[in-house]
Every structure is written in C-alpha cells, then in structure tokens.
Amino acid sequence: MTNILCIGAGYVGGPTMAMIAKKCPYHRVVVVDINAARIAAWQSDQLPIYEPGLDEVVRATLNRNLFFSTEVDRHIAEADIIFVSVNTPTKTFGQGKGRAADLQYWEKTARQILENSTTPKIVVEKSTLPVRTAEAMERILNSYDKDLHFDVLSNPEFLAEGTAIRDLEEPDRVLIGARETTSGQCALQAIVDIYAQWVPRERIITTNLWSSELAKLVANAFLAQRISSINAISALCEKTEADVNEIAHAIGLDSRIGPRFLGASVGFGGSCFKKDILNLVYLCEHYGLSEVADYWAYVVKMNEYQQARFVSNMVVSMFNTVAGKRIALFGAAFKAHTSDTRESPALAVCRALLEEHAKVVISDPHALDNFHADLGAAATQVIFEPDPYTAASGAHAIAILTEWPHFTDLDYKAIYQSMVKPAFIFDGRNILDHQRLFKIGFNVYAIGKPARVHFDEVSSTKLLDRVQINLEE
Ligand code: NAD
Ligand code: UGA
C-alpha cells in the first residue's frame, strides 16, 4: 500500500484523488485542505463542487481508501507521494502584478512538507505553475540538512470542468515530467504505475520537468487562442452577413484544423485560461521575448473585446439605453455543467449592465450562490432567480450567457408573452433556434450571425466602434 496525499481539496484535488482512489483500491488516498468548510463538504452528501458523475465516485471510495482531512502536518508525515494542488492565482500585488502567478500558497506548502517530513517523499506538482517552478521547490526542500531526499515531479492536470470525471477516466493523455537522474526516473515510474492502472500506457507521456510544466501553459494558451480566433471572426461575420457557425463547420472539417474549440461565444471564462496566458506572457517578458509576449497577450485582449462588444451590442440594439430596463441573464456559470463562476463572462456582462443602470436578474440551475459571492458588493443590485420564466417575466431582454441545455428547451412563446415589447434575445452561446424565436416575435441577436429584427435597425456600426478595449497593464 502506498500512502498518497493531496494538498488542496479544490476543483482539481478532489476529483483527481477520488479517481485515483477508485482505480487503485489498494492505495490509501488522503486529501487535505486548510479550508475546514470545504473538507466538511467533501465528507457530506452535498459536495463542495457540482460536477456530473463526481458523487458516485466519491460515494464509492469515501472512508474506504479516500479520506478528507484538515490535519495537513500529520498527513504529510505519513505520506509517500504528495500531490500539490493548491491554487495559483494571478498576482494582485507587487512585481508581476496582474500577470505573474502568485506562488505564496505553493511555497508555503513546500515549507510545510519540509518541516513535517521524516521519510523521503515524491512531491508532484499538480497545480499549474510557471516553467522551472520545480527547481525552486527542489531548492526549498533540499535547503536543510535533513538527510532526506525529495524528488519533485510535474504532473499537470488537463481536466475540464463539467466533464472532469470523463476526462479523468479516459484522458487524452497523462503527462509526467521528471529529472533525468536515477532517482528522478524511479519516482517517475512510481507515478506512471498509478495511472497505468486504468490509462493505456501509450497515453502516459513522460518528458523532462520543464517540458511538462510548460506544456500545461501552452495547452491552455492554444485552446484559448482558438476561441479568440473564432470570436474575432464572429465580429467580421456580423458586419458581412456571413455565419460564424457555417465558417467553423467549413474550416473544422479540415483535419489540420479540427472541429473542437471553434464555438464562437460571449468569450471564454473559467479560472485558468486568462490566468495561464497572462502567466505565459509574463514568462516571455521575463526572458526578453516581448514579441512572443505581445502575441499571446492578444488572446486575452480579444476575449475582453468580445465581452465588451456583446454588451455594447445589447445597449445599441435596445435604442442606446438599458437604464431602468429589466434584463434577464440566463446563465451564471462560466460553462455548462459546473457551478463554477470564476472569470465567468456573466460576471463581466452583469457588471457592465449595472454600470448602464439596467435592472439585472440572473438565472442559473447550479451557480447562483457562487455568482453572488463573486459579484461582491454589487450583488445587492442584482436579483437572483432560479426559475428562468420568472426571471424573464417583465424583462425587455434575455441574454444567454451559459450553454445549459435546459435553456434551449424553454417555452419561448410563453416567455415572449410575459416580456415587455419589443422583446430582445441576445444569444451569447448560439444555442437557440433563432429563426423560431424571430417568428415568435423576438428581435434576435446571435454571435457572428446577421441580426433578425422586426424593425429597421439603427445603424449600429458607428456606435459599435465606441467599444473600448481596456487591457489591464
Ligand atoms: P481551488 O481554489 O478550487 O483549490 C485549491 C485549494 O487549495 C483550496 O481549497 C485552498 O484552500 C487549498 N490550499 C491553498 N493553500 C493550502 C495549503 N497551504 N494547505 C492546504 N490547502 C491549501 O483551485 P483548483 O481549481 O482546484 O486549481 C488548483 C490548481 O490546478 C491551479 O493551479 C489550477 O491552475 C490548476 N488546474 C485547475 C483546473 C480546473 O479545472 N479548475 C484544471 C487544471 C488545472
Ligand atoms: C480548460 C481546459 O479545457 C482544460 O484542459 C484545462 O485543464 C483547464 O482549462 C484548466 O487548466 O483549468 P475549463 O476551463 O474547465 O478547462 O473548460 P473549457 O471547456 O476549456 O472552457 C473554457 C471556457 O471556454 C468556457 O467559458 C467555455 O464556455 C469557453 N468555450 C469553450 C468557448 O467559448 N468556445 C468553445 O468552443 C469552447
């Protein structure tokens, strides 16, 4: 039996360790966190995160060979392998503010591992980190003469929220980076052996440490770049009567391009794309590669432009004012099938509409509590309404911000009847039947498609040009 510990019981630590516990019943897996409420939730019937299929995996393993605890020090002492899955947000202060990764939680963990270890350990970076962080980790761990050996490995996580269980069960690949020393390769084999219990060996890729760390940042940058690319084209489609879905289909059939991550939208959200690209930008600047930094920075800039453009389009289409108008936002989560609202486009849209003095009501099946918390003080100005019919009643407009399937199946005829006329729908996810909605009576605006309106549209070109892109420095 191997004692596996994971420090950090968040969106990655919890599901990842539950899957390891399920697939390796003879290993003991403990997940620790400083957040006692989170640990209590993992031990309860109401898990701290909503993720399809997660309940079953946790239920099958909890208190069998999966344990959650707040006793970080004790479990460090007992562990053979330690995965570190703490948060690595963007720095909000000091050097690299707004771009570099804030490594304070990471470094604290390293010191805690050192203090509480009496046996050699394999320490695995699960968090997403700047390239060469493992070197810093090694230096901290080996800075005292404890006569202990620590191998530091990189094993970045590629799961996406909403599909985490499927991604963990059948990953495209598992990536493990290690030092090319005898001891490093021995540690690498121990981690390979864990994943090999259920992942085909050819999908377990091993590399040097730095390639593994950097590949994670690059994977997210490439995925986000595809979304920004198609979103850039969506703006051109709206000017030219081309249809972005038709374009995505046409180019996606080219096997060199492929069909995935070409869904034009109100912009990408989530805790990682923006953070990881900004981190990549910071690294490039650090190494004096300003052109490379600028290239990647534009992926984020384009995303901010897309969100600003969406709101500007709403205001312009609704006769240049939304002040005092009830506007129903359908979707708070940053994507469907998750309760996570971190960096959700809904937050940006909601804040911008509040600035325009709109009366915002938001509906979501799972994410209203997190949205309330993320909005902070502005939450008092927003109505939180789980029922989309009630949310839309008396509204001038609906904006679809998350692609929850149930938003597609609503009775839009009944919704139309309950709304103020002329009634508007802004489909930020292109999930609705626009022709049908237009026939019902809605004025319909979708991403990257010609608007379908029942009156002569004001020329919005001039006004849309007012959209400002304010990239934080
Ligand atoms: P999270 O904020 O949900 O969880 C991190 C947890 O670590 C928190 O519960 C926090 O209390 C805990 N923590 C912080 N310092 C600690 C300490 N010293 N001791 C014990 N616990 C501590 O974050 P997350 O979404 O799980 O992301 C974790 C890492 O994984 C990040 O680097 C992220 O970039 C990366 N990642 C996230 C996803 C995702 O889908 N969320 C996917 C792939 C990679
Ligand atoms: C993303 C990556 O897909 C994961 O591989 C990675 O592990 C993870 O980031 C991470 O490092 O945190 P996630 O953010 O959970 O996963 O979800 P995605 O499916 O990638 O969606 C991200 C955002 O892009 C969402 O807001 C989604 O709605 C948007 N999106 C996605 C689009 O706008 N269009 C698309 O075609 C696809």
Side-chain angles (χ1 to χ4, degrees):
M1 185 188 77
T2 305
N3 279 317
I4 297 173
L5 174 67
C6 178
I7 302 180
Y11 286 86
V12 169
T16 312
M17 292 302 126
M19 186 58 69
I20 290 180
K22 179 183 166 187
K23 301 294 184 181
C24 307
Y26 34 83
H27 290 332
R28 184 167 184 268
V29 183
V30 179
V31 190
V32 291
D33 205 295
I34 42 175
N35 182 336
R38 216 167 204 191
I39 289 297
W42 279 110
Q43 290 162 324
S44 76
D45 288 340
Q46 194 67 45
L47 299 186
I49 60 177
Y50 170 73
E51 186 65 52
L54 179 63
D55 285 40
E56 287 79 357
V57 182
V58 173
R59 226 177 287 133
T61 50
L62 188 65
N63 299 329
R64 180 192 76 181
N65 67 326
L66 176 69
F67 304 90
F68 290 91
S69 169
T70 50
E71 291 179 80
V72 183
D73 294 352
R74 177 165 77 85
H75 289 292
I76 288 175
E78 290 172 1
D80 304 305
I81 298 173
I82 302 178
F83 287 86
V84 184
S85 187
V86 298
N87 37 328
T88 51
T90 304
K91 250 184 119 176
T92 53
F93 55 90
Q95 263 186 42
K97 177 183 171 182
R99 281 168 302 161
D102 184 348
L103 297 177
Q104 60 173 307
Y105 309 102
W106 173 255
E107 180 169 338
K108 190 168 178 282
T109 309
R111 293 184 189 281
Q112 222 170 344
I113 292 173
L114 179 66
E115 270 165 34
N116 294 286
S117 292
T118 50
T119 53
K121 298 184 195 306
I122 299 172
V123 178
V124 186
E125 298 176 337
K126 197 53 153 163
S127 301
T128 304
L129 294 157
V131 58
R132 296 200 81 88
T133 301
E135 196 173 38
M137 182 74 137
E138 285 171 341
R139 282 189 185 151
I140 292 170
L141 290 174
N142 297 312
S143 60
Y144 290 88
D145 194 13
K146 261 200 153 185
D147 208 20
L148 283 181
H149 182 72
F150 296 92
D151 283 295
V152 180
L153 273 65
S154 160
N155 169 222
E157 185 49 59
F158 295 101
L159 69 79
E161 291 177 30
T163 54
I165 296 305
R166 194 189 64 206
D167 296 342
L168 289 168
E169 199 130 35
E170 293 170 40
D172 286 354
R173 78 314 206 175
V174 167
L175 176 59
I176 310 167
R179 288 278 191 188
E180 280 138 351
T181 56
T182 310
S183 157
Q185 292 300 301
C186 217
L188 181 131
Q189 192 56 49
I191 306 302
V192 168
D193 287 345
I194 292 175
Y195 286 105
Q197 297 306 310
W198 78 97
V199 181
R201 186 61 186 81
E202 63 277 11
R203 291 198 177 192
I204 304 175
I205 302 167
T206 58
T207 64
N208 80 30
L209 258 175
W210 323 128
S211 305
S212 175
E213 288 179 328
L214 187 54
K216 172 61 196 177
L217 292 181
V218 174
N220 275 358
F222 269 59
L223 289 168
Q225 182 205 42
R226 282 174 70 94
I227 303 169
S228 276
S229 296
I230 200 71
N231 281 343
I233 297 305
S234 76
L236 184 58
C237 287
E238 287 165 32
K239 302 274 186 200
T240 57
E241 296 188 15
D243 180 321
V244 78
N245 282 6
E246 293 177 353
I247 303 228
H249 181 61
I251 65 168
L253 285 175
D254 186 328
S255 59
R256 293 168 301 176
I257 296 175
R260 299 183 65 190
F261 272 70
L262 290 180
S265 67
V266 57
F268 60 74
S271 61
C272 294
F273 277 176
K274 182 176 171 187
K275 151 179 99 65
D276 293 347
I277 294 173
L278 292 176
N279 187 206
L280 187 65
V281 168
Y282 184 71
L283 282 166
C284 294
E285 281 169 356
H286 171 78
Y287 288 107
L289 304 168
S290 57
E291 284 80 3
V292 186
D294 291 349
Y295 175 78
W296 287 108
Y298 227 93
V299 172
V300 174
K301 204 170 179 182
M302 185 53 65
N303 198 51
E304 289 171 358
Y305 170 73
Q306 186 75 348
Q307 295 179 358
R309 204 172 71 78
F310 185 81
V311 176
S312 182
N313 199 15
M314 288 180 77
V315 176
V316 169
S317 311
M318 296 171 72
F319 320 112
N320 294 314
T321 178
V322 290
K325 293 179 182 171
R326 181 178 172 103
I327 297 188
L329 304 184
F330 282 8
F334 81 96
K335 64 183 283 196
H337 309 296
T338 177
S339 54
D340 195 348
T341 53
R342 292 177 292 179
E343 294 292 336
S344 176
L347 285 166
V349 171
C350 179
R351 287 193 182 113
L353 289 172
L354 289 176
E355 266 179 39
E356 292 288 341
H357 294 185
K359 287 185 184 160
V360 178
V361 49
I362 186 152
S363 187
D364 191 286
H366 290 282
L368 289 185
D369 288 348
N370 282 339
F371 195 80
H372 192 289
D374 284 357
L375 257 189
T380 52
Q381 300 169 57
V382 174
I383 302 166
F384 295 83
E385 175 51 67
D387 178 28
Y389 292 99
T390 311
S393 179
H396 290 249
I398 295 169
I400 308 283
L401 301 179
T402 311
E403 70 282 20
W404 286 108
H406 81 280
F407 290 147
T408 320
D409 304 329
L410 298 174
D411 180 350
Y412 280 97
K413 219 174 195 167
I415 287 178
Y416 177 75
Q417 278 156 9
S418 75
M419 289 176 66
V420 176
K421 312 295 179 312
F424 294 81
I425 282 200
F426 299 89
D427 186 356
R429 295 289 182 172
N430 285 351
I431 55 167
L432 302 181
D433 181 341
H434 302 136
Q435 183 55 27
R436 208 180 133 253
L437 293 171
F438 178 67
K439 274 196 190 148
I440 289 172
F442 283 103
N443 296 296
V444 186
Y445 294 80
I447 301 282
K449 291 166 182 272
R452 294 166 199 261
V453 291
H454 293 281
F455 44 82
D456 275 350
E457 210 186 352
V458 246
S459 165
S460 57
T461 317
K462 241 198 218 147
L463 291 152
L464 277 181
D465 286 345
R466 292 193 320 210
V467 174
Q468 294 292 318
I469 305 165
N470 294 316
L471 239 198
E472 282 166 40
E473 286 304 311

